[in-house]
Each structure stands twice: as structure tokens, then as C-alpha cells.
């Protein structure tokens, strides 16, 4: 496992980096632009943003100013909840593409499923939104399409109507919150899992159990959590605005968590989750 591949292969044979740089809660402007610039300089090639983050323009400027060729970068953004539906999705995508200053997007995700009310209503909304994703994909404007925060019942309903199956599901995933049902479903359906908040937005870093494991391997708790995500065959998306931590979060290919320790971390009781349930969120 120490030589984990630096890319994974999606269902459509597109390769995706095994670690990405997350930009949630990084403020638009100089901070976001500098952080993405530092991440690319450190070696990240997968950059993850979203319309609701409000920093697509900064991400776009950092990409434009980078010395790394565009074809070597993998850029992701996400459709926000207020823009669901076929026509609104097409317009929202065009807006994101302009802000990012891109001609083609590598990965587009539905940020949260429509899930409130009767199933026939939310399933119809998700299906209409997904149809727009399929159109953009067929038109060559997106290289891969997927979802975020979809549970098995959301995915099942969507796939019943879909022509193209989601290639990615980005979910909250970290020690103490593995979302086993969603994890197992995605593995079975060959849907790659991306892990948002792999550090529990910082909540993992003061956990005594994880601190002990990190000390054992001579690594930081953050590095342990990122490595744990990798060994669980997910793609972690750590975020930081500090240059040293940005670099440290990528330095996880020189050690391996033992099988026994993986089992112990996997069995940790639920703790540290955001509490954002896709079936009940109101934003």
C-alpha cells in the first residue's frame, strides 16, 4: 500500500487524482487565490470548489496563473440546490465555467440531492437535473459527472431514470463517520467515493485515539486521516490555507497503516460528524 497509485480510474476510464485540494470555507479573493496557487505548486492537481463556496473566480484566476498545463489539472465544481432542474442547471453550469475561466470542466457534481417531500417529487427533480448533466457530458463540456451527499435511496432512484450512471459520489467521510451503507453501495456500483471533511473540519485533530495512532507512525493526525481515507479507497479532499499544512497533507505516500490498525480506526464509534443529513438539510 505504500505505493498507492496517484490516480484512480472512473467508470468512463477517465483518471482522477487520488488526493484533491478542497476549498470549502476559503474566502473569495486573495486568500483563496493564494491557497489554490500554493496547492498546485505543492503538487495537487485535483482542485475542488462549488458554486456555494463563492470562490470559483479565485480558483479560476489561480488556475490561469499556474505554470501547470491545464490538461494536467482536474477541476471540479458543484451545482447548488437553488439551481436544480434542467434549464436552470444548464445556465448555472455556464456561469461556473465563466467564473473558472475554463472551456471544459473535468467533473461536475450535484451538490445535494433534492430529498424533501414525497419521493415522486424529489426523484423527478433529481432526474431532471441529472438529464442536464448528461446533456453537458454528451456535448463534451464535462469530462465526468457525479453527485455529492447522495445516500443509497437517492442514488437508486436517480439510476432508475439515468442513461449515464454517476461516476463519483462526494460524501462526508472520516474516522468516526464512515457512512457504511453509502460506502458499500458505491463500491458495489463502481462509483468512486470522494471524502469531504476528511479531517472532520478539524474535529479529528484533537482525538486522543487518533493522536496515539499518528504518534505510532510518526505522522500528524491529519496525515493519518488522509492516509486512512486512501487505504479505504476513497479520494480525500483536505483543505488548508497554510502553506506548510497544504504540503504536509500531501505527504502521505511514504507510510502504511497496518491492517489491524485500519480495522481499529474503522470501528471507532460515530463522532465528529457535521450533522448534515441529506434527507433533512434545509439549505
Amino acid at each position: 500500500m505504500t505505493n498507492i497509485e496517484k490516480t484512480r480510474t472512473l467508470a468512463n476510464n477517465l483518471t482522477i487524482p487520488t488526493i484533491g485540494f478542497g476549498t470549502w470555507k476559503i474566502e473569495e479573493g486573495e486568500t483563496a487565490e493564494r491557497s489554490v496557487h500554493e496547492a498546485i505548486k505543492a503538487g495537487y492537481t485535483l482542485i475542488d470548489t462549488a458554486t456555494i463556496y463563492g470562490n470559483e473566480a479565485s480558483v479560476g484566476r489561480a488556475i490561469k496563473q499556474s505554470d501547470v498545463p491545464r490538461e494536467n489539472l482536474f477541476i471540479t465544481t458543484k451545482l447548488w440546490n437553488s439551481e436544480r432542474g434542467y434549464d436552470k442547471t444548464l445556465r448555472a453550469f455556464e456561469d461556473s465555467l465563466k467564473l473558472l475561466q475554463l472551456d471544459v470542466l473535468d467533473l461536475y457534481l450535484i451538490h445535494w440531492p433534492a430529498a424533501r417531500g414525497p419521493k415522486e417529487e424529489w426523484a423527478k427533480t433529481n432526474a431532471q437535473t441529472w438529464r442536464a448533466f448528461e446533456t453537458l457530458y454528451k456535448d463534451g463540456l464535462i469530462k465526468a459527472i457525479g453527485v455529492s451527499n447522495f445516500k443509497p435511496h437517492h442514488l437508486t432512484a436517480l439510476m432508475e431514470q439515468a442513461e449515464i450512471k454517476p461516476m463519483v459520489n462526494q460524501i462526508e467521510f472520516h474516522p468516526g463517520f464512515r457512512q457504511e451503507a453509502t460506502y458499500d453501495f458505491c463500491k458495489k456500483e463502481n462509483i468512486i467515493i470522494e471524502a469531504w471533511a476528511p479531517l472532520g473540519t478539524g474535529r479529528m485533530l484533537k482525538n486522543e485515539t487518533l493522536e496515539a495512532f499518528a504518534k505510532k507512525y510518526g505522522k500528524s493526525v491529519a496525515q493519518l486521516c488522509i492516509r486512512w481515507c486512501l487505504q479505504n479507497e476513497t479520494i480525500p479532499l483536505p483543505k488548508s490555507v497554510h502553506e506548510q499544512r497544504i504540503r504536509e497533507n500531501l505527504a502521505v505516500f511514504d507510510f502504511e497503516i497496518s491492517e489491524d490498525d485500519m480495522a481499529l480506526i474503522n470501528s471507532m464509534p460515530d463522532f465528529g460528524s457535521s450533522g448534515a443529513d441529506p434527507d433533512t438539510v434545509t439549505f
Side-chain angles (χ1 to χ4, degrees):
M1 287 295 292
T2 52
N3 58 353
I4 286 176
E5 294 294 330
K6 296 295 181 72
T7 61
R8 299 277 304 279
T9 303
L10 301 178
N12 68 344
N13 292 320
L14 181 71
T15 57
I16 181 172
T18 52
I19 297 181
F21 181 71
T23 63
W24 182 40
K25 292 189 175 180
I26 300 183
E27 187 178 346
E28 165 71 12
E30 190 274 334
T31 300
E33 195 171 329
R34 175 181 50 78
S35 298
V36 173
H37 174 76
E38 292 294 345
I40 294 173
K41 191 168 72 171
Y44 293 86
T45 53
L46 192 169
I47 307 298
D48 181 90
T49 185
T51 297
I52 196 62
Y53 299 172
N55 57 22
E56 287 174 313
S58 294
V59 171
R61 287 193 296 272
I63 293 167
K64 251 333 187 205
Q65 295 162 11
S66 168
D67 294 330
V68 177
R70 168 66 185 98
E71 61 269 21
N72 293 344
L73 296 174
F74 194 102
I75 311 303
T76 304
T77 194
K78 310 178 195 74
L79 177 82
W80 187 238
N81 304 347
S82 59
E83 305 306 312
R84 298 185 186 115
Y86 186 83
D87 292 330
K88 289 173 76 175
T89 294
L90 296 180
R91 289 194 294 269
F93 174 77
E94 186 177 346
D95 290 343
S96 287
L97 213 58
K98 286 178 181 176
L99 287 171
L100 289 164
Q101 301 182 60
L102 299 177
D103 297 319
V104 176
L105 185 68
D106 297 284
L107 176 63
Y108 200 36
L109 305 177
I110 300 177
H111 205 146
W112 291 87
R116 296 172 68 82
K119 178 184 176 181
E120 59 268 22
E121 291 182 10
W122 59 255
K124 181 180 178 181
T125 298
N126 289 332
Q128 290 173 338
T129 302
W130 189 251
R131 188 163 60 87
F133 273 55
E134 292 177 328
T135 296
L136 293 164
Y137 178 73
K138 291 175 185 176
D139 288 346
L141 294 170
I142 310 171
K143 294 182 181 179
I145 51 178
V147 297
S148 181
N149 301 302
F150 273 53
K151 290 182 173 181
H153 58 283
H154 305 133
L155 286 164
T156 299
L158 184 66
M159 291 191 297
E160 286 172 354
Q161 304 296 320
E163 181 181 343
I164 302 167
K165 190 165 69 173
M167 301 160 193
V168 169
N169 188 16
Q170 186 179 126
I171 62 173
E172 182 177 1
F173 187 88
H174 51 73
F177 196 66
R178 291 186 70 242
Q179 300 208 61
E180 287 90 347
T182 301
Y183 178 90
D184 291 343
F185 183 93
C186 289
K187 294 279 283 186
K188 177 176 174 290
E189 294 294 336
N190 192 28
I191 299 171
I192 295 286
I193 295 174
E194 290 186 324
W196 67 260
L199 313 181
T201 58
R203 293 183 296 274
M204 302 296 101
L205 303 182
K206 297 298 182 183
N207 179 271
E208 291 182 0
T209 299
L210 296 176
E211 285 179 333
F213 279 121
K215 184 177 180 181
K216 173 180 177 178
Y217 290 101
K219 292 290 183 176
S220 69
V221 174
Q223 289 169 322
L224 179 85
C225 291
I226 293 165
R227 180 71 196 197
W228 174 85
C229 286
L230 288 173
Q231 290 185 214
N232 270 305
E233 299 185 335
T234 69
I235 296 174
L237 303 169
K239 179 216 86 174
S240 180
V241 297
H242 304 288
E243 182 180 353
Q244 182 180 348
R245 289 178 191 162
I246 288 171
R247 292 181 179 278
E248 283 179 357
N249 289 345
L250 203 57
V252 293
F253 292 95
D254 59 349
F255 77 109
E256 177 183 5
I257 303 172
S258 73
E259 203 172 304
D260 288 345
D261 289 347
M262 283 294 295
L264 288 169
I265 298 171
N266 284 349
S267 66
M268 290 176 72
D270 285 357
F271 78 98
S273 72
S274 68
D277 185 337
D279 284 320
T280 59
V281 293
T282 57
F283 44 75

